[in-house]
Amino acid sequence: MEKKTEFSKDFDKNKKRIDELLHIEKSFDLLYRVVTIGGKKACFYFIDGFCKDEVMEKVLEFLYKITPEQMPATAHEFLKDRLPYGEIDLVRTENDLLQRILSGVPVLLIDGYTELLATDFRTYPARSVDEPEKDKVMRGSRDGFVETVVFNTALIRRRIRSRDLVMEMHTVGKSSRTDVVIAYMGNRVEPEMLENIRQRVDAIKIDSLSMNQQSLAECLYQHKWFNPFPKFKFSERPDTTAASILEGSIAILVDNSPSAMILPTSVFDIVEDADDYYFPPITGTYLRLSRMVIDVLAVVMTPLFLLLISNPEWLPESMKFIVINDPINVPIWLQMLILEFAIDGLKLASVNTPNMLSTPLSVVAGIILGDYTVSSGWFNSEIMLYMAFVAVANYTQVSLELGFALKFMRIILICLTAAFGLWGLIGGLIFVAVCIVTNRTISGKSYIYPLLPFNAKQFLRRFFRVSLPTSEQ
C-alpha cells in the first residue's frame, strides 16, 4: 500500500522524512539544494539529468529577490503570486511527492507550508522524431513517435487542434511508476468502452511494466495464448494514430515506448497502411487490395504448392511446368519448414549484426542459401523461389504481430497438408478461419467487423479507398 501521509509545517521534520523516502545518502543522482527564500528555509529536490539547469537558475534568481514581507501565508498563494514558471502544482502527500520527483519533476519545500511545490521544468534525454524504420511511407509525414510520452502527445496535438481531444494521465507499476496516457476524442469515443479501458488500466497491480507497451497489453487483455492474431494495432506514426482517434478509437501511449496502442481494432484495421491515404483513391485502393491478396498468398501458396506437387495428376496441362524435375533428396514439406526457420534465423541475425558488417554478411547469406544449398542437393530451386516470395510478402504490411500470426498459420497448413493431403489443407483453412472469427478485441466486438456483423457500406470501404469528402458522409 502506497503511503499517503501528509506533511507538517516543520521544515526540518519534512526534510528528514523526504531524505529517508528518497534515500538521498545512497543515490548519487538524487540531489537537493537548501536555499533561503523570503527569510525562510527552503529546499529544492531534483534528479540530475532531468533538470533544465538554465531554467532552474532563472527560477532561483527570481526567488532570491523575494523579501520576508512578500512571503505569502500559504503554499497556494505562493504558487499563484511568487512562482514565475508556468507548469506548477501543489504536492500534498508522500505518494504525490515520490511520483513527481521520481518522474523528474523538481519539488520545492518551504518552511511553514504543509504543501510542497512541484515546478515542472524537467527534460528527458530523447532522440529526434525521425521517421520510424519499420513504419515508413512513400509519401506523407516523416516524423514518428519517440520514447518520451510528452513528445508523442505533442505530435498528436499538432494534428488535432480540438478541445475535445483528451489526454488522460495514469500511473502503472509499483516500482516503475510508468506514465500511461489514454488519448481520445470526448465527443466521438464510445463512453462504455472508454470507461472499460480506464478501469482496466487503474486496476493493474504489477511491480513494473518491464516491456513497456507489451507488458501493458498483456495486463489489459489476458487473451488465450494459442490464438496468435493481434488484439491491438500498434503504430509508430502520429498521423495514423491521430486519424484513428478522430475515427472514435482510443490510443494508449506508454512512456519509454515509441508507439501507440490503438483499440478497439479489427483485422481490417491492422492491414491498413498510411500509404493508402497518401495517394489518390484509385492508387490507394490498388495498394490496399494488393496487400490483402499478397497476405492471403503468403499463407496458402506453399501448402497449395505442396499439395499439387504431391498429386501431379491433378494438374492441368498448362500447369505441368511447376512439377519438380530435379531429384528430391529431402521431403518438400521438410525443406519448407527448414527454410521457414532459416529465414527467421537471418532476421534475428540482421537485428544483432553491426551496421558495418550487415552488407557483407547479407551477401554471404545470400550465396549460401542460394546457389550452394541448391547445388548441394539440400533444397530444390522451386522451393527456394516460393519461400523467397513468402519471406518478402511478410513485409508488405506493417504489423509484425500479424506477420508472425500468418507465419504460424502457414506452418500449420504445411504440416497438415503433408500429413493428410487435401483434407489436411481444408481442415487447416477451417482452423485459420476459426482463429480469425473467434478472436475478440478488448471491447468484445467482432474481430472481422464489418463482415460480422455485416455492414455493407463499411465493408466496401475496407477494400476500396474513397475520397475524403465521401468518407465523412
Side-chain angles (χ1 to χ4, degrees):
M1 181 68 67
E2 295 286 354
K3 292 183 177 297
K4 299 185 180 296
T5 308
E6 297 184 351
F7 299 97
S8 67
K9 292 186 177 181
D10 189 324
F11 174 84
D12 294 328
K13 181 179 178 181
N14 289 336
K15 185 178 182 305
K16 181 180 179 181
R17 179 57 185 157
I18 294 172
D19 291 348
E20 292 175 352
L21 285 173
L22 298 176
H23 302 293
I24 290 292
E25 300 300 328
K26 297 181 180 179
S27 299
F28 80 95
D29 60 336
L30 283 171
L31 307 177
Y32 70 92
R33 181 175 180 181
V34 178
V35 295
T36 301
I37 300 175
K40 293 185 177 182
K41 291 187 292 184
C43 183
F44 253 116
Y45 287 92
F46 56 95
I47 296 180
D48 190 19
F50 284 167
C51 181
K52 296 179 182 177
D53 296 338
E54 63 278 5
V55 178
M56 187 169 187
E57 290 177 3
K58 292 181 179 179
V59 171
L60 287 175
E61 182 180 354
F62 183 88
L63 295 177
Y64 286 153
K65 296 178 181 179
I66 300 176
T67 62
E69 295 77 17
Q70 295 174 329
M71 283 295 292
T74 65
H76 185 262
E77 293 176 359
F78 188 94
L79 178 147
K80 292 193 302 180
D81 302 333
R82 296 301 174 209
L83 271 179
Y85 202 75
E87 299 179 58
I88 50 180
D89 199 3
L90 292 177
V91 177
R92 295 183 173 87
T93 66
E94 293 180 359
N95 186 39
D96 291 340
L97 171 73
L98 292 173
Q99 176 62 34
R100 299 302 180 94
I101 292 182
L102 296 177
S103 297
V105 179
V107 174
L108 176 61
L109 168 67
I110 300 178
D111 189 18
Y113 294 160
T114 56
E115 298 97 358
L116 283 70
L117 300 108
T119 55
D120 192 353
F121 49 84
R122 59 184 162 175
T123 179
Y124 284 136
R127 58 186 174 89
S128 61
V129 290
D130 294 330
E131 184 178 23
E133 285 291 329
K134 181 65 177 72
D135 210 347
K136 292 183 177 181
V137 291
M138 291 180 279
R139 291 177 60 186
S141 303
R142 301 296 177 183
D143 55 354
F145 288 136
V146 294
E147 287 74 14
T148 306
V149 71
V150 177
F151 291 0
N152 297 339
T153 56
L155 289 172
I156 297 175
R157 284 281 183 190
R158 185 181 180 186
R159 289 167 167 82
I160 307 177
R161 301 175 182 178
S162 171
R163 63 181 182 178
D164 294 317
L165 176 60
V166 180
M167 302 278 190
E168 289 186 8
M169 178 67 77
H170 298 255
T171 302
V172 177
K174 180 180 178 181
S175 296
S176 64
R177 299 176 182 269
T178 306
D179 292 332
V180 176
V181 176
I182 302 177
Y184 59 91
M185 293 293 290
N187 60 340
R188 304 186 186 188
V189 70
E190 294 183 13
E192 297 82 6
M193 181 181 66
L194 174 62
E195 185 60 27
N196 180 24
I197 299 301
R198 193 183 287 139
Q199 290 178 1
R200 285 173 181 257
V201 171
D202 293 336
I204 294 176
K205 303 298 181 184
I206 193 172
D207 186 62
S208 67
L209 295 180
S210 54
M211 294 294 107
N212 301 328
Q213 212 156 46
Q214 180 59 32
S215 299
L216 181 67
E218 293 177 6
C219 293
L220 282 179
Y221 189 41
Q222 299 178 7
H223 56 274
K224 297 177 180 179
W225 63 269
F226 51 80
N227 194 330
F229 285 93
K231 311 300 185 293
F232 308 95
K233 179 179 180 178
F234 296 94
S235 178
E236 297 184 34
R237 299 190 59 84
D239 50 0
T240 300
T241 305
S244 299
I245 293 174
L246 289 171
E247 292 173 356
S249 298
I250 297 174
I252 298 181
L253 305 170
V254 181
D255 197 22
N256 297 312
S257 179
S259 62
M261 184 165 57
I262 301 171
L263 49 99
T265 187
S266 69
V267 67
F268 294 104
D269 296 319
I270 295 175
V271 298
E272 281 188 348
D273 191 80
D275 270 326
D276 297 349
Y277 298 93
Y278 278 123
F279 285 94
I282 186 170
T283 307
T285 299
Y286 168 76
L287 293 174
R288 181 177 298 179
L289 293 178
S290 298
R291 191 181 309 111
M292 292 181 177
V293 171
I294 292 173
D295 285 342
V296 173
L297 289 177
V299 176
V300 303
M301 175 177 281
T302 48
L304 185 59
F305 174 75
L306 174 62
L307 178 65
L308 295 177
I309 291 300
S310 302
N311 301 274
E313 66 277 5
W314 295 354
L315 288 169
E317 196 64 33
S318 59
M319 294 290 291
K320 292 290 185 180
F321 67 90
I322 71 170
V323 176
I324 300 177
N325 297 316
D326 297 330
I328 301 175
N329 301 316
V330 179
I332 295 176
W333 66 271
L334 185 56
Q335 291 186 41
M336 291 178 176
L337 293 183
I338 293 174
L339 287 174
E340 287 279 5
F341 290 112
I343 291 171
D344 284 338
L346 289 177
K347 291 180 183 177
L348 295 175
S350 65
V351 171
N352 298 301
T353 302
N355 291 333
M356 66 181 68
L357 299 177
S358 59
T359 300
L361 288 181
S362 298
V363 173
V364 172
I367 294 174
I368 293 175
L369 289 181
D371 294 338
Y372 291 171
T373 52
V374 173
S375 60
S376 66
W378 270 93
F379 302 102
N380 294 93
S381 56
E382 290 86 352
I383 306 300
M384 297 289 292
L385 171 64
Y386 294 122
M387 292 308 300
F389 169 80
V390 166
V392 175
N394 282 335
Y395 294 102
T396 56
Q397 45 83 27
V398 71
S399 174
L400 291 172
E401 294 80 11
L402 181 60
F404 277 107
L406 296 178
K407 179 186 185 66
F408 298 149
M409 296 299 108
R410 183 170 62 249
I411 292 176
I412 291 174
L413 286 175
I414 291 174
C415 293
L416 291 176
T417 303
F420 305 106
L422 177 60
W423 292 110
L425 178 61
I426 295 174
L429 292 175
I430 294 175
F431 174 76
V432 173
V434 169
C435 286
I436 296 175
V437 172
T438 59
N439 201 18
R440 288 285 174 178
T441 63
I442 191 172
S443 63
K445 292 186 176 180
S446 172
Y447 194 59
I448 57 173
Y449 175 82
L451 183 59
L452 186 69
F454 185 69
N455 185 322
K457 182 178 179 181
Q458 292 298 325
F459 182 72
L460 290 176
R461 288 183 176 181
R462 296 296 184 177
F463 290 89
F464 302 99
R465 157 86 154 88
V466 298
S467 62
L468 182 60
T470 305
S471 66
E472 294 188 351
Q473 293 176 359

